[in-house]
Amino acid sequence: MIVAGNWKMYRGPELDGLRGLDAIVCPPYTRLRECVDAGLTTYAQNVHWEAEGAYTGEISAPMLLELGVAGSLVGHSERRQYFGETDETVAKRTRAALDAGLKVIACVGETLAEREGGETEDVLRRQLSVLEPHPSLVLAYEPVWAIGTGKTATAAQAQEVHAAIRAVLRELGGSAGAELRIQYGGSVKPENAAELMAQPDVDGALVGGASLDPDGFAAIGAAAVAQRP
Ligand code: PEP
């Protein structure tokens, strides 16, 4: 089970409440060092594909490694929606980060219009086809309609899509693809975390809003440990 908390562009909680946390934190860049120094497994929220260069506002894998950061999110739907992230740039970021030695959580998921249009599997196939299996790569299935909306996919909906993702991965990448771990993300809260993570193809959770509350986030981490230690 892999649980990660995405603090987005929020400062996030004081770290005292997170001591002993068995989960990844993805703070804003300004708090990366503080989280690393506190002994938390710390990921960035994005990473560029070049080691350095004229890319204003970006950060590179070597720079993150120098800080002691262990990995990065890539392709979060908010990056795709608001900042022009494409399947191609997601692939470039992912490959460069993995090659540099970072772990990666790569996010995929359909919008409400795509789901209602019956395109969920096609969208996921397109997003997954640019990602090569790697031991340090974890996927996060995040239906865009469930992110920050309070609408959670039901456990059955999550399981159905996770199983479909695994089938697509098997098709695209053979057994290495099928072994990738897949987190569910989208309004995960302490109240629904256990049921979501009880699904056989759900290997953890990517948590946004609820990760800003240390007690709630710790409860989600504990639900994951209870499920599959
Ligand atoms: C996220 O930011 O990845 C996310 C799933 O957010 P929330 O839990 O707030 O829906």
Side-chain angles (χ1 to χ4, degrees), residues 1-7 13-27 35-36 38-43 205 207 210-225:
M1 284 287 164
I2 303 182
V3 172
N6 173 18
W7 297 353
E14 293 312 316
L15 304 189
D16 298 352
L18 297 177
R19 303 252 175 253
L21 181 79
D22 189 7
I24 296 162
V25 294
C26 310
C35 290
V36 169
L40 295 165
T41 306
T42 306
Y43 282 26
V207 186
S211 71
L212 296 170
D213 164 34
D215 293 339
F217 190 45
I220 295 169
V225 173

Side-chain angles (χ1 to χ4, degrees), residues 6 8 76 78 107 142 146-150 185-188 206-210:
N6 173 18
K8 312 192 187 204
H76 190 279
E78 286 152 14
C107 307
E142 298 207 301
I147 297 178
T149 58
S187 300
V188 176
L206 179 53
V207 186

Side-chain angles (χ1 to χ4, degrees), residues 85-165:
E85 197 75 69
T86 64
D87 293 333
E88 285 64 41
T89 55
V90 169
K92 286 166 83 168
R93 291 181 195 278
T94 302
R95 199 171 317 121
L98 291 169
D99 286 350
L102 286 173
K103 295 175 195 280
V104 170
I105 297 174
C107 307
V108 297
E110 82 286 1
T111 63
L112 186 58
E114 288 163 344
R115 172 167 278 258
E116 288 178 347
E119 297 164 39
T120 299
E121 198 167 322
D122 288 346
V123 168
L124 291 168
R125 185 182 303 275
R126 193 198 72 222
Q127 293 173 338
L128 293 167
S129 67
V130 299
L131 299 169
E132 286 153 34
H134 187 285
S136 295
L137 175 64
V138 168
L139 297 175
Y141 167 58
E142 298 207 301
V144 178
W145 48 271
I147 297 178
T149 58
K151 283 186 202 147
T152 318
T154 63
Q157 280 173 323
Q159 169 55 28
E160 189 188 347
V161 179
H162 280 231
I165 289 175

